């Protein structure tokens, strides 16, 4: 049985909103992990925003390596910015891959909670992100990794 352990390192950016008073920051609190699986005839592994892991096609999920949603802290220390709406921008399809040596797999269909936008109701909030990994038939064994960016900006 081929076994895979996949971790996805995350890259984030500090962004300033359109108003110079409106500063919002995002920081990585936990990585997106697709866990351990056997590629078999290929298919996909998906991670929901709550960390639930599902598969499609011939992929077999292994219990030895559960997946996890990425987690980000969104913050703004300025209480004057409470109740402002922020927009979440996730990677577009066909822009993120995981690689191990010369082998790669595409990561698509990014989702977040909150989805699309949120409201800064406290000084710090949590954003979780999931996605779907496309697994090729007989995908070579390896420790695949990569990164992606998530941005937040006041509306």
């Amino acid at each position: 049985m081929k076994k895979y352990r996949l971790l996805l390192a995350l890259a984030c950016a500090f962004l300033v909103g359109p108003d110079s008073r409106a500063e919002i920051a995002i920081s990585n609190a936990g990585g997106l992990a697709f866990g351990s699986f056997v590629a078999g005839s290929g298919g996909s592994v998906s991670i929901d925003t709550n960390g639930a892991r599902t598969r499609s096609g011939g992929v077999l999920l292994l219990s030895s390596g559960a997946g996890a949603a990425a987690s980000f802290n969104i913050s703004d220390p300025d209480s004057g910015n409470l109740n402002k709406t922020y927009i979440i921008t996730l990677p577009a399809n066909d822009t993120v891959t995981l690689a191990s040596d010369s082998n790669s797999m595409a990561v698509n269909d990014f989702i977040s909670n909150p989805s699309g936008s949120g409201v800064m109701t406290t000084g710090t909030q949590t954003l979780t992100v999931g996605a779907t990994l496309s697994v090729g038939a007989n995908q070579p064994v390896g420790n695949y990794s990569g990164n992606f960016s998530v941005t937040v900006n006041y509306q």
Side-chain angles (χ1 to χ4, degrees):
M1 279 190 154
K2 293 182 180 181
K3 189 175 180 181
Y4 296 85
R5 180 77 173 159
L6 302 170
L7 300 175
L8 187 58
L10 305 172
C12 303
F14 173 77
L15 297 172
V16 176
D19 181 331
S20 63
R21 299 177 304 113
E23 293 185 7
I24 189 168
I26 182 171
S27 61
N28 181 13
L32 176 62
F34 291 96
S36 298
F37 59 86
V38 176
S41 61
S44 67
V45 177
S46 297
I47 302 295
D48 199 341
T49 57
N50 64 8
R53 185 170 68 143
T54 58
R55 64 156 192 92
S56 72
V59 173
L60 174 65
L61 301 178
L62 301 176
S63 61
S64 62
S71 179
F72 299 90
N73 292 322
I74 299 173
S75 61
D76 187 338
D78 184 350
S79 62
N81 291 328
L82 291 181
N83 299 315
K84 284 187 177 257
T85 299
Y86 57 86
I87 305 301
I88 302 160
T89 305
L90 300 172
N93 284 342
D94 301 322
T95 61
V96 176
T97 58
L98 296 184
S100 176
D101 296 323
S102 63
N103 303 304
S104 64
M105 291 183 274
V107 183
N108 289 306
D109 301 325
F110 284 85
I111 55 174
S112 68
N113 183 20
S115 178
S117 65
V119 177
M120 184 58 72
T121 57
T122 63
T124 302
Q125 295 177 322
T126 300
L127 167 71
T128 56
V129 176
T132 299
L133 178 69
S134 297
V135 181
N138 300 311
Q139 184 77 37
V141 174
N143 289 317
Y144 289 75
S145 63
N147 61 63
F148 66 93
S149 295
V150 174
T151 57
V152 294
N153 204 351
Y154 283 121
Q155 187 170 3

